[in-house]
Amino acid sequence: MEWNIVTLDEVDSTNEYAKRIASEVPEGTVVVARRQTAGKGRRGRRWASPEGGLWFSVILKPPRVDPRLVFVGALGVTDLLRDFGVSAGIKWPNDVWVEGRKIAGILTEGKANEYVILGIGLNVNNPIPEELEKTATSMSTLLGREIPLEVVLQRLLEHLSRWYGLFLKEPGRVVEEVRKRTFILGRPVVVITGEKVLRGRAVDVLDDGSLLVETPEGPVKILYGDVSLRIPEMDTIEQKG
Ligand code: BT5
């Protein structure tokens, strides 16, 4: 993949910016910003994006919209962290966690038959806002030193290239790897989808990317989208929502 990087000082959200330019630019355009004033998570949640973190969005034009594309981001980030000696796990479907804290979040948004925006927020050298102190961590906190953002971005893009290539050819293998890196399997979970709250044990990530949860009423397949997942045994350090 040929990357074409657009660097901004400040933007509302790199995902929003990417959406504004997506139809006019080639696949592989990357929008990266030093600060986001309205960085966003799923369902209107906010993503804290102070200077020092890596906030970027990749414009992709896959032949069809596939929700498993979010895994390309999660796998790339866990690989990148491993390069720095940090062992990270995936909290299905879109979070990367280290030592019980969230270090990265991924947000995909798309327009059918046109583009998919793969937005990645990774805490690198940025301060962690007070309200997230117990639930979030950063690379510099873990490593005890600052890491140049360009180095992190470059490496991460290499990993994303690889996973995106595999995703296009054999999405099943991408899921296979996600299954290995998903640390919630075997654990009790609480799944919140809209109004519904479901309690059970996470047992598998299925080939279509959904999560299989065993509940007292039998197995339930959870499609991602707007799902919040809480892990009761980690509740003291788990964020709301
Ligand atoms: C996500 O949402 O985890 C997806 C975050 C995607 C952010 C990137 S940055 C580049 C691109 N441009 C954007 O505008 N967005 C993408 P979700 O699963 O909904 O999690 C959001 C929750 O994570 C919040 O409610 C907080 O609890 C927590 N959070 C917010 N900022 C955080 C941070 N910097 N580090 C760790 N946790 C954070």
Side-chain angles (χ1 to χ4, degrees):
M1 171 75 71
E2 282 274 321
W3 302 111
N4 160 34
I5 302 175
V6 179
T7 307
L8 307 167
D9 214 37
E10 187 175 285
V11 70
D12 49 355
S13 147
T14 55
N15 264 37
E16 289 302 317
Y17 189 96
K19 277 195 263 177
R20 295 194 284 267
I21 63 166
S23 1
E24 280 110 61
V25 296
E27 174 171 65
T29 302
V30 178
V31 180
V32 53
R34 282 150 62 91
R35 295 180 293 279
Q36 296 184 117
T37 53
K40 54 179 196 166
R42 297 175 303 157
R43 308 178 85 181
R45 287 191 282 259
R46 293 198 49 200
W47 183 258
S49 321
E51 204 162 318
L54 183 61
W55 327 122
F56 72 106
S57 302
V58 180
I59 297 169
L60 297 170
K61 304 195 172 179
R64 73 198 89 77
V65 175
D66 181 332
R68 292 175 291 189
L69 192 57
V70 73
F71 297 147
V72 167
L75 290 168
V77 171
T78 46
D79 275 353
L80 176 273
L81 290 168
R82 197 177 47 200
D83 291 344
F84 284 88
V86 173
S87 161
I90 297 173
K91 180 174 166 240
W92 182 94
N94 71 317
D95 285 5
V96 178
W97 284 47
V98 177
E99 295 171 7
R101 289 164 194 255
K102 180 159 169 171
I103 193 165
I106 293 119
L107 177 67
T108 48
E109 300 182 86
K111 193 165 178 190
N113 305 320
E114 273 201 49
Y115 59 79
V116 177
I117 310 294
L118 176 65
I120 299 184
L122 171 64
N123 297 319
V124 183
N125 307 314
N126 55 294
I128 301 292
E130 214 176 284
E131 68 275 15
L132 297 172
E133 249 168 24
K134 292 203 171 74
T135 61
T137 190
S138 67
M139 289 181 73
S140 64
T141 305
L142 293 163
L143 298 170
R145 65 185 160 92
E146 299 217 336
I147 303 105
L149 284 181
E150 321 77 66
V151 174
V152 178
L153 177 62
Q154 213 50 56
R155 284 224 169 193
L156 182 43
L157 288 175
E158 283 165 25
H159 290 303
L160 293 177
S161 249
R162 218 164 21 81
W163 287 115
Y164 182 55
L166 189 62
F167 163 84
L168 291 175
K169 276 192 289 183
E170 291 178 82
R173 283 189 49 209
V174 168
V175 176
E176 209 172 284
E177 198 54 37
V178 168
R179 199 175 283 131
K180 288 187 198 149
R181 300 186 193 187
T182 299
F183 63 86
I184 59 170
L185 298 184
R187 290 184 166 186
V189 291
V190 180
V191 182
I192 304 151
T193 40
E195 305 286 279
K196 275 203 215 139
V197 178
L198 195 131
R199 281 160 209 281
R201 186 176 294 275
V203 288
D204 200 7
V205 178
L206 303 176
D207 286 346
D208 65 359
S210 60
L211 182 73
L212 187 67
V213 176
E214 212 122 78
T215 76
E217 291 80 42
V220 180
K221 196 173 133 168
I222 312 290
L223 296 169
Y224 23 38
D226 290 337
V227 176
S228 277
L229 197 71
R230 294 175 55 218
I231 307 161
E233 62 190 285
M234 291 170 75
D235 248 5
T236 44
I237 43 104
E238 169 67 292
Q239 77 258 24
K240 291 195 186 71

